[in-house]
Amino acid sequence: MIIMSLDDRSDRIRHDSSVPVATQVARDIEKDIGAGRLVPDTRLPNELELAQQYGVARMTVRRAVAQLRDKGLVVTVHGRGSFVAPRDGETG
Amino acid sequence: MIIMSLDDRSDRIRHDSSVPVATQVARDIEKDIGAGRLVPDTRLPNELELAQQYGVARMTVRRAVAQLRDKGLVVTVHGRGSFVAPRDGETG
DNA sequence: AGACATTTGTACGTATGTATT
DNA sequence: AAATACATACGTACAAATGTC
């Protein structure tokens, strides 16, 4: 019997790839933003949830989010979470 | 009896400070560079040595070195080490 | 005010992979 | 082949900021 979470995303990650896992996670989240599945000004799942969904360590998620932050795609607030940044031209 | 390494620098780090340990290490190394104790184009002690000298974890040293890299003070080469960057205007 | 839960930040440890010498 | 050194990723713990009650 196979048990998996309702939001299991671990099959999107290849641990044997030359692309770092953190980058794979960042790209996957970025895809969700681009596709509108993650809407501006809404919060991302917290780091622990993302870690569980992707089947990776929290530090790996933090690196992924840092990459998205560097691209200006998300904004992180200590104690609150990381939010999808408003699109260019929108004030929020 | 007190035992300490010949190059113990752990007394320069305050673990109860609001300044992150990694930043304290970076500043201490930066001080050495500024004072000429670390010369351009010479290699820094490796991460494990720095970690032992400062009494911190290797990842903390890596963060410190990353900060110096972001400032352009050191250059890291995969498989070789981190080197004090040539001063502005020098070719190396 | 004070206590509590949630979430990110920092720091530690450890293991394995990859590149250079 | 071996030693050295950086890169990535796993885990764990506690601190700090935030929000709620």
Side-chain angles (χ1 to χ4, degrees):
Chain A
M1 173 181 187
I2 298 175
I3 301 179
M4 69 167 68
S5 143
L6 286 177
D7 216 345
D8 185 282
R9 300 186 165 196
S10 58
D11 57 343
R12 306 185 187 184
I13 303 302
R14 285 179 46 210
H15 287 262
D16 60 347
S17 167
S18 67
V19 179
V21 174
T23 301
Q24 294 182 50
V25 172
R27 287 178 181 171
D28 196 71
I29 295 174
E30 185 173 352
K31 200 183 303 178
D32 281 344
I33 294 175
R37 286 187 289 273
L38 288 173
V39 183
D41 271 335
T42 61
R43 221 198 67 208
L44 265 58
N46 70 45
E47 295 174 342
L48 187 56
E49 282 180 300
L50 287 174
Q52 292 170 338
Q53 289 177 11
Y54 285 102
V56 302
R58 187 186 153 210
M59 286 308 298
T60 303
V61 167
R62 286 182 55 71
R63 281 189 201 175
V65 172
Q67 289 179 25
L68 297 174
R69 210 159 42 225
D70 288 344
K71 282 186 151 187
L73 292 176
V74 307
V75 177
T76 302
V77 183
H78 189 178
R80 295 225 298 131
S82 288
F83 300 81
V84 181
R87 296 189 193 180
D88 202 55
E90 298 181 0
T91 58
Chain B
M1 174 180 184
I2 298 175
I3 300 177
M4 69 167 69
S5 144
L6 287 177
D7 219 337
D8 185 22
R9 299 184 165 196
S10 59
D11 57 343
R12 306 185 187 184
I13 303 302
R14 285 180 45 210
H15 286 261
D16 60 344
S17 168
S18 66
V19 179
V21 173
T23 302
Q24 294 182 51
V25 173
R27 288 178 181 170
D28 195 72
I29 296 174
E30 185 174 352
K31 200 183 301 176
D32 282 343
I33 294 174
R37 286 187 289 273
L38 287 173
V39 183
D41 270 341
T42 60
R43 222 201 67 211
L44 264 56
N46 70 45
E47 294 177 344
L48 187 56
E49 285 177 334
L50 286 173
Q52 291 169 337
Q53 289 176 11
Y54 285 102
V56 303
R58 182 182 152 215
M59 286 308 298
T60 303
V61 168
R62 288 181 52 69
R63 285 186 198 174
V65 173
Q67 290 177 25
L68 297 174
R69 208 158 44 225
D70 287 348
K71 282 185 152 186
L73 292 174
V74 307
V75 177
T76 300
V77 182
H78 191 175
R80 293 198 45 222
S82 289
F83 300 81
V84 180
R87 296 189 196 180
D88 205 6
E90 297 181 4
T91 57

